[in-house]
């Protein structure tokens, strides 16, 4: 039976109780979450980022002081000026931003914005953010190029849960935004950044 025939048979009410019970039992047997090799979290995370559904590029640095050079490489690859919206995060004070024009307020047509995720999730390639005075949310949705520093990677979605007091806003980003019109044409950046670049900071 083809998939189409199977769907039509269900719509017609021809599925037997035994068949429904068997399908439900099969769903219960399936694992609730995919297995993730805890010894290969970075490799799994990067593989998820490379999927077409996420469509992110990746770079790696050993120290946060190397961040400006990594962003300069990305700007050169993308033909961008070294103009960057950066959050007022004290960790960025360790970086030498010579050669960059920095500001902390994003315009609607902002070319590039930097953010620091709390962590990445190997299971899905998601990036986890919380808002704070040093981590504004708006630039992450206005810029054409979203550049994200990731200092840690966890295995599963549940592992990214916060303990203690929660911030005012908590949000997850999995890839660039996109939409498909009625003719099936996929458009990136429909509701946010068109490009996502992840910079993994070595643990």
């Amino acid at each position: 039976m083809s998939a189409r025939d199977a769907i039509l048979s269900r719509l017609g009410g021809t599925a037997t109780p035994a068949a429904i019970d068997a399908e439900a039992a099969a769903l219960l047997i399936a694992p609730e979450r995919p297995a993730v090799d805890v010894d290969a979290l970075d490799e799994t995370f990067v593989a998820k980022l490379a999927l077409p559904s996420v469509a992110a590029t990746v770079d790696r640095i050993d120290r946060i002081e190397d961040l400006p050079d990594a962003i300069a490489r990305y700007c050169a690859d993308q033909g961008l000026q070294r103009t960057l919206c950066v959050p007022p995060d004290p960790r960025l004070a360790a970086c030498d931003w010579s050669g960059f024009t920095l500001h902390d307020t994003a315009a609607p047509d902002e070319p590039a914005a930097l953010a620091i995720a709390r962590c990445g999730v190997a299971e899905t390639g998601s990036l986890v953010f919380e808002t704070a005075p040093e981590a504004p949310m708006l630039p992450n949705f206005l810029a054409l190029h979203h550049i994200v520093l990731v200092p840690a990677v966890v295995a599963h979605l549940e592992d990214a849960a916060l303990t203690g007091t929660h911030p005012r806003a908590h949000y997850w980003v999995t890839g660039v935004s996109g939409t498909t019109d009625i003719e099936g044409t996929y458009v990136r950046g429909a509701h946010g950044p068109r490009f996502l670049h992840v910079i993994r900071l070595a643990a």
Side-chain angles (χ1 to χ4, degrees):
M1 178 183 293
S2 69
R4 178 178 180 276
D5 291 337
I7 292 171
L8 291 176
S9 69
R10 290 179 185 177
L11 292 175
T14 59
T16 65
I20 294 172
D21 289 344
E23 185 175 353
L27 291 173
L28 292 174
I29 292 171
E32 291 187 8
R33 62 182 188 177
V36 173
D37 184 354
V38 295
D39 295 322
L41 291 183
D42 277 331
E43 293 84 349
T44 305
F45 179 57
V46 169
K48 292 294 183 180
L49 292 173
L51 292 174
S53 57
V54 180
T57 53
V58 182
D59 198 356
R60 292 179 175 86
I61 57 175
D62 295 323
R63 309 173 305 143
I64 197 168
E65 290 84 356
D66 299 327
L67 181 60
D69 286 341
I71 296 176
R73 288 194 297 271
Y74 179 75
C75 289
D77 290 342
Q78 298 294 321
L80 296 172
Q81 299 293 322
R82 294 188 186 183
T83 300
L84 189 65
C85 180
V86 298
D89 192 305
R91 290 172 288 183
L92 299 177
C95 299
D96 179 4
W97 295 103
S98 300
F100 282 87
T101 300
L102 305 181
H103 52 279
D104 60 7
T105 302
D109 58 350
E110 193 67 40
L114 171 66
I116 301 178
R118 179 164 60 82
C119 66
V121 181
E123 176 187 355
T124 58
S126 300
L127 306 171
V128 182
F129 299 91
E130 286 87 32
T131 57
E134 66 275 9
M137 179 169 56
L138 188 59
N140 297 335
F141 296 96
L142 287 180
L144 180 65
H145 295 261
H146 191 199
I147 303 171
V148 181
L149 181 67
V150 177
V153 174
V154 299
H156 293 100
L157 297 171
E158 306 95 296
D159 301 327
L162 279 172
T163 59
T165 303
H166 281 238
R168 185 172 183 87
H170 176 100
Y171 59 102
W172 302 52
V173 172
T174 307
V176 296
S177 69
T179 188
T180 302
D181 65 19
I182 197 167
E183 294 182 354
T185 302
Y186 178 66
V187 179
R188 287 172 57 173
H191 310 292
R194 187 176 298 171
F195 303 96
L196 174 63
H197 183 60
V198 173
I199 301 174
R200 175 72 172 100
L201 176 61

